[in-house]
Amino acid sequence: MTERKPRKDALRNRAAVLEAADTLFARCAGPADITMADIAAAAGVGKGTLFRAFGDRTGLIRALHETRLAPLRDAVAQGPPPLGPGTPPLRRVPALLDAVLCFKLDNRHLALALEEAGSGSPYEAGHYDRWHALLCDELERVPGLTDGSFAAHALLAATRADLVEHLAGRQGMTREELRARLAEFTARVLGDGRRS
């Protein structure tokens, strides 16, 4: 049995919804301010279309997040160094964390909406599991580092969207300051392995 291709109008509607949601989240004071009705109206579709395509608000936010994250995921899965596979962990771990931080800075509205989506613990989200597993695998190869799993959690905590928003939005830290601070923190965590 062959898989049915989505209808052209369904593809157009999906693209319109994702674009409308992205615009609304980017302009809002806080992610909780945006409703499914707001997104449907901005996209020019009925609310039923949203629910059929995405299930609920959290599903819509996840879909938009995954669309934005795809280029970074591809670079990590099959790209060149320093993000791609085969890069030594002492070079790859800082590059991965910098890429996550830059993604959060470039997509603050979306990252905050996903973290605040009320879908349970952010540590149980699929995207978090993927980043944690990747970092854990890399950290386990760092000489002198004994607990890669905890270190991966601690390093990822430094890139949480709410922290990024607090530091960049409320405390006024620049992108370069945030990147430099994360690089310093990562270097301290990698510690002995960097000196080996």
Side-chain angles (χ1 to χ4, degrees):
M1 187 165 120
T2 59
E3 188 176 317
R4 283 178 41 195
K5 288 184 179 179
R7 296 183 338 245
K8 286 183 182 178
D9 63 332
L11 292 173
R12 264 194 317 273
N13 285 345
R14 181 178 177 84
V17 166
L18 291 174
E19 184 178 339
D22 193 31
T23 300
L24 288 171
F25 283 122
R27 293 181 181 161
C28 70
D33 296 342
I34 305 301
T35 67
M36 290 291 266
D38 296 330
I39 295 167
V45 300
K47 271 178 46 175
T49 299
L50 291 186
F51 287 103
R52 278 190 301 279
F54 301 101
D56 59 13
R57 183 176 183 275
T58 302
L60 172 65
I61 293 168
R62 274 195 202 112
L64 183 54
H65 184 268
E66 288 300 313
T67 298
R68 284 289 189 91
L69 191 59
L72 176 54
R73 258 196 337 265
D74 291 346
V76 169
Q78 57 206 20
L83 290 177
T87 306
L90 293 177
R91 186 169 171 225
R92 192 176 194 205
V93 168
L96 291 169
L97 290 162
D98 184 63
V100 171
L101 176 63
C102 289
F103 178 83
K104 298 274 180 91
L105 286 166
D106 293 341
N107 298 280
R108 279 167 50 188
H109 61 284
L110 185 56
L112 275 173
L114 186 61
E115 282 187 9
E116 295 178 6
S119 59
S121 169
Y123 305 105
E124 295 173 5
H127 66 277
Y128 183 87
D129 284 343
R130 287 190 299 272
W131 285 114
H132 181 265
L134 175 62
L135 282 172
C136 191
D137 288 347
E138 294 296 325
L139 291 165
E140 292 294 339
R141 299 179 340 167
V142 174
L145 197 73
T146 57
D147 190 350
S149 179
F150 181 80
H153 284 302
L155 290 166
L156 284 170
T159 68
R160 276 186 51 100
D162 54 355
L163 178 61
V164 170
E165 176 61 24
H166 176 74
L167 295 175
R170 293 185 185 93
Q171 292 194 349
M173 287 180 71
T174 67
R175 178 186 193 91
E176 291 313 312
E177 285 176 308
L178 281 166
R179 293 178 72 196
R181 298 273 180 93
L182 180 60
E184 290 166 11
F185 177 64
T186 304
R188 284 195 301 273
V189 171
L190 295 175
D192 292 338
R194 291 184 77 84
R195 291 190 290 271
S196 294

